[in-house]
Amino acid sequence: MHHVAAALDRLSELAASPTVSTLAAAFDAAGHELALVGGPVRDAFLGRSTNDLDFTTDATPDEILAIVKPIAEAHWDIGRQFGTIGAKIARETVEITTYRADTYDGASRKPDVVFGDTIEGDLVRRDFTVNALALRLPKLELVDPSGGVDDLLAGVLRTPSAPEVSFGDDPLRMMRAARFAAQLGFSVAEPAVAAMTELAGAIERISAERVRDELTKLLSTASPVRGIRLLVDSGIADRVLPELPALRLERDEHHRHKDVYEHSLTVLEQAIDYEVARGRLDSPDLVVRLAALLHDIGKPRTRRFEPGGAVTFHHHDAVGAKLARKRLRALRFDNDTVDAVARLIELHLRFFGYTDASWSDSAVRRYVRDAGPADQLERLHILSRADVTTRNRRKADMLSFAYDDLEQRIAELAEQEELAAVRPELDGQQIMAILGVPPGPVVGEAYRFLLDVRLDEGPIGEDAARERLLEWWAARGA
């Protein structure tokens, strides 16, 4: 049990920190119970660093406020109706919640908050036993009413109450099971998996925003695939992200093609590896991860069996981009995320077309222009590289070298000309002056013509651009 001893050492260090000791003394002086609860206690047993300091107490929200006001640099009561008060103490943000004994009415999306009077009652209604641990302050007594320490040491996620009751109370806990399985590398206890499968439909009671947040947290873990498999296998993904389980295309012996679902999970894992290794984006990058997971969702709709046993998926990039846009909007992702993911899916095949022939400078410029801003180009680099999952070493190396070459070309062209700001050499005002035309659609047409010249030939100088514009104008008039 050296794990437990080490964890208690870590917890007593945490309890001695200025924030925790200040709070503990204030609650003790006011005659109220206070305990550190959930994540920080769990993480002390796992040897992980903790970011959130969550506390629970028998004090009511008003009493909590009265205790923290004199010692806090700031406080807020945004979660007051759920019994939660936030505060900044000794430069750290904390949340303090009154013991809960809440009941869900089984139909609405919101819990009815009922305050409880014991810490044990509060802990038993939490999502998993490993999160139902508390450390009483200031006396440093571990409270573990449901065997959470044993489950932590065994690496198992169990619900403190019967899983069908727990998941029935708040169906989002089923998605939290998948997220914690990925985040902690734990397995989910068999009865909980059975309950997830049986109650999968209940996830439809949860608002799209809460589902989105949970999906985001899962995808932001270091290795989300374990959790994604659980959502797909239990049938929950059929309700929240049906395009994903739809990738499990049946195959027969005549039509051999890669399992698109397994391929997509591999692409996600490889994309995360590239994202971390290249270090050019803030990691975790949700756009990269969503695009990697969903890049082939257009395949089921576009699959055709050709004579001779070949399978084609023509235009699955465009179809997939449209499907992704629709699904991410339904999940209430913000417009920037939706646009960025859809654009990557739309462009994810572009590179493979270019490996067949050598690229012209014009093709390289278009690739950069179509990708968009620098972070989107970096994401496209990551997705294109991650999309190579062939077991054929020679083919994989060839594609990887081809992409190295492309990135080299982009860098060289960018040095020669500011590639990020590809603009024609004449602006709208100059076009109107040269052609003697007022503002109108024709100016846009001329601008696009000059932009194509710029992309195809690089900088040619203002005088040459003027000549080309007049030639175009004469031809257009004719």
Side-chain angles (χ1 to χ4, degrees):
M1 293 299 273
H2 67 279
H3 273 306
V4 179
L8 291 173
D9 284 347
R10 278 193 284 273
L11 285 168
S12 53
E13 264 174 54
L14 187 56
S17 72
T19 304
V20 181
S21 57
T22 302
L23 261 180
F27 274 79
D28 196 38
H32 281 291
E33 295 178 10
L34 183 73
L36 194 59
V37 71
V41 185
R42 176 196 71 215
D43 291 341
F45 279 89
L46 295 173
R48 299 161 72 109
S49 62
T50 194
N51 306 330
D52 305 319
L53 288 178
D54 293 327
F55 297 87
T56 186
T57 178
D58 61 346
T60 64
D62 289 342
E63 289 168 335
I64 297 172
L65 269 174
I67 296 168
V68 300
K69 264 183 188 170
I71 57 170
E73 292 130 53
H75 57 83
W76 48 94
D77 57 1
I78 195 155
R80 192 185 197 139
Q81 86 247 43
F82 297 110
T84 301
I85 302 294
K88 199 170 189 184
I89 292 168
R91 295 201 295 283
E92 284 199 73
T93 300
V94 300
E95 283 194 351
I96 307 153
T97 304
T98 308
Y99 295 156
R100 295 266 287 273
D102 66 10
T103 54
Y104 286 72
D105 59 17
S108 84
R109 298 165 174 220
K110 295 280 187 286
D112 297 325
V113 178
V114 180
F115 295 138
D117 44 17
T118 72
I119 190 167
E120 289 78 8
D122 175 277
L123 293 174
V124 167
R125 52 149 292 279
R126 291 180 178 249
D127 54 5
F128 302 105
T129 60
V130 299
N131 293 330
L133 295 168
L135 182 74
R136 282 189 203 269
L137 301 165
K139 55 188 165 189
L140 304 187
E141 176 196 323
L142 190 66
V143 189
D144 177 16
S146 49
V149 170
D150 292 341
D151 289 341
L152 268 177
L153 299 178
V156 177
L157 286 171
R158 265 188 326 112
T159 52
S161 53
E164 40 289 339
V165 174
S166 180
F167 296 157
D169 278 349
D170 182 2
L172 192 67
R173 287 173 171 174
M174 301 188 290
M175 290 188 71
R176 286 168 68 85
R179 188 238 303 185
F180 282 121
Q183 192 179 314
L184 306 173
F186 282 17
S187 61
V188 179
E190 199 39 62
V193 175
M196 285 170 76
T197 310
E198 190 190 328
L199 295 174
I203 199 68
E204 287 165 10
R205 294 191 346 234
I206 301 298
S207 71
E209 289 81 358
R210 289 181 75 206
V211 167
R212 172 204 64 207
D213 290 348
E214 208 41 68
L215 211 50
T216 298
K217 286 174 182 169
L218 168 58
L219 281 174
S220 301
T221 60
S223 41
V225 166
R226 178 195 287 251
I228 290 167
R229 286 190 189 280
L230 188 54
L231 292 181
V232 171
D233 296 345
S234 61
I236 290 171
D238 287 312
R239 272 87 176 179
V240 299
L241 198 60
E243 295 78 7
L244 188 58
L247 293 174
R248 296 177 297 181
L249 298 173
E250 71 296 336
R251 293 177 292 172
D252 60 43
E253 62 281 10
H254 307 300
H255 298 112
R256 296 185 204 289
H257 58 82
K258 268 195 307 223
D259 180 325
V260 186
Y261 171 65
E262 289 299 333
H263 162 75
S264 299
L265 295 183
T266 303
V267 172
L268 173 61
E269 289 179 321
Q270 295 187 163
I272 291 172
D273 289 343
Y274 280 122
E275 173 200 298
V276 173
R278 289 168 70 98
R280 294 176 200 166
L281 296 167
D282 289 340
S283 185
D285 188 284
L286 185 63
V287 170
V288 162
R289 297 175 183 212
L290 282 167
L293 186 62
L294 305 179
H295 75 285
D296 274 347
I297 58 172
K299 278 192 168 176
R301 288 225 183 151
T302 56
R303 178 166 67 153
R304 299 284 175 275
F305 296 118
E306 307 293 339
V311 183
T312 60
F313 301 98
H314 291 308
H315 305 303
H316 78 265
D317 43 357
V319 171
K322 206 172 276 183
L323 289 173
R325 201 175 271 288
K326 198 172 165 193
R327 174 58 52 203
L328 296 176
R329 280 208 183 113
L331 285 168
R332 307 280 194 275
F333 278 94
D334 63 278
N335 291 339
D336 289 348
T337 301
V338 175
D339 291 343
V341 172
R343 193 78 181 116
L344 288 172
I345 294 173
E346 208 178 312
L347 293 172
H348 84 273
L349 291 180
R350 180 76 70 88
F351 166 66
F352 295 99
Y354 284 137
T355 55
D356 304 337
S358 62
W359 289 34
S360 64
D361 283 355
S362 156
V364 176
R365 287 192 198 95
R366 278 171 202 281
Y367 190 75
V368 172
R369 181 191 67 177
D370 292 348
D375 55 351
Q376 272 292 92
L377 179 61
E378 176 62 16
R379 287 167 175 150
L380 185 56
H381 292 334
I382 289 172
L383 180 59
S384 301
R385 287 179 181 276
D387 197 16
V388 178
T389 61
T390 175
R391 295 231 174 91
N392 178 334
R393 203 59 260 160
R394 212 177 105 253
K395 190 176 169 192
D397 285 347
M398 188 191 79
L399 287 166
S400 174
F401 293 143
Y403 212 95
D404 290 345
D405 188 55
L406 169 60
E407 285 206 59
Q408 181 64 33
R409 300 260 315 269
I410 290 172
E412 285 165 6
L413 276 172
E415 265 176 50
Q416 291 163 20
E417 35 173 312
E418 277 124 39
L419 203 56
V422 175
R423 289 192 187 85
E425 274 144 309
L426 304 172
D427 63 21
Q429 294 296 330
Q430 291 168 298
I431 290 169
M432 288 189 283
I434 293 164
L435 301 182
V437 294
V442 73
V443 182
E445 242 179 274
Y447 188 90
R448 281 190 292 280
F449 161 73
L450 289 172
L451 180 60
D452 280 336
V453 170
R454 173 80 176 73
L455 287 165
D456 290 335
E457 302 172 34
I460 57 172
E462 268 189 41
D463 293 342
R466 175 190 298 261
E467 275 171 44
R468 296 290 286 275
L469 176 63
L470 290 167
E471 281 166 27
W472 171 83
W473 182 240
R476 186 179 177 282

